[in-house]
């Protein structure tokens, strides 16, 4: 029963995103928050997660969800960048107020561990987005030099 509700919810989120063609920032953001709520449910077992993944794959949802989530993260970064630009003093920038900061800290700690990144390294980060928070945190955590390349010129 629980999995049927998850599938129905995923289909609703998919339809919501599909019908906007990713043009409505508000709808994309709401849809991706709903997707997170579905996928990050702490009551899901490993088998549940596998079933959800297989369902999304069989329904060809993964590509659109990936693009929508990329759009959602970019929306967050653009809004955060605008808030920084509007501040009077650069010293007031607090990356901990970025909405995905805590999640990024955990992900980046794993990336640093897996990559064995240390102070003497130079890291190339491709696809840094409007706010290269991953690159900033890699540098803050390791003192490594981090160069960024972003494909989107906006």
């Amino acid at each position: 029963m629980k999995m049927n509700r998850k599938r129905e919810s995923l289909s609703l989120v998919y339809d919501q995103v599909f019908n906007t063609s990713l043009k409505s920032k508000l709808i994309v953001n709401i849809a991706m928050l709903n997707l997170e709520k579905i996928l990050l449910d702490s009551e899901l077992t490993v088998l549940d997660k596998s079933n959800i993944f297989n369902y999304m794959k069989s329904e060809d949802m993964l590509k659109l969800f990936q693009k929508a989530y990329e759009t959602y993260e970019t929306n967050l970064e653009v809004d955060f960048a605008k808030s920084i630009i509007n501040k009077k003093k650069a010293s007031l920038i607090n990356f901990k107020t970025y909405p995905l900061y805590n999640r990024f800290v955990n992900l980046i700690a794993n990336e640093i561990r897996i990559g064995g990144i240390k102070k003497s390294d130079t890291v190339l980060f491709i696809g840094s987005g409007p706010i290269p928070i991953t690159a900033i945190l890699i540098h803050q955590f390791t003192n490594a030099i981090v160069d960024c390349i972003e494909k989107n010129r906006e």
Side-chain angles (χ1 to χ4, degrees), residues 6 9-11 13-14 16-17 28-41 44 52 56 61-62 64-69 72:
K6 294 285 184 191
S9 297
L10 284 167
S11 293
V13 170
Y14 182 85
Q16 199 174 27
V17 173
V28 168
N29 290 0
I30 290 170
M32 292 303 94
L33 288 171
N34 287 333
L35 182 64
E36 283 186 345
K37 186 176 178 182
I38 295 165
L39 299 178
L40 300 177
D41 181 346
L44 291 176
I52 288 171
M56 290 189 303
M61 295 178 169
L62 294 175
L64 181 61
F65 281 159
Q66 182 179 7
K67 183 64 181 162
Y69 204 84
Y72 166 65

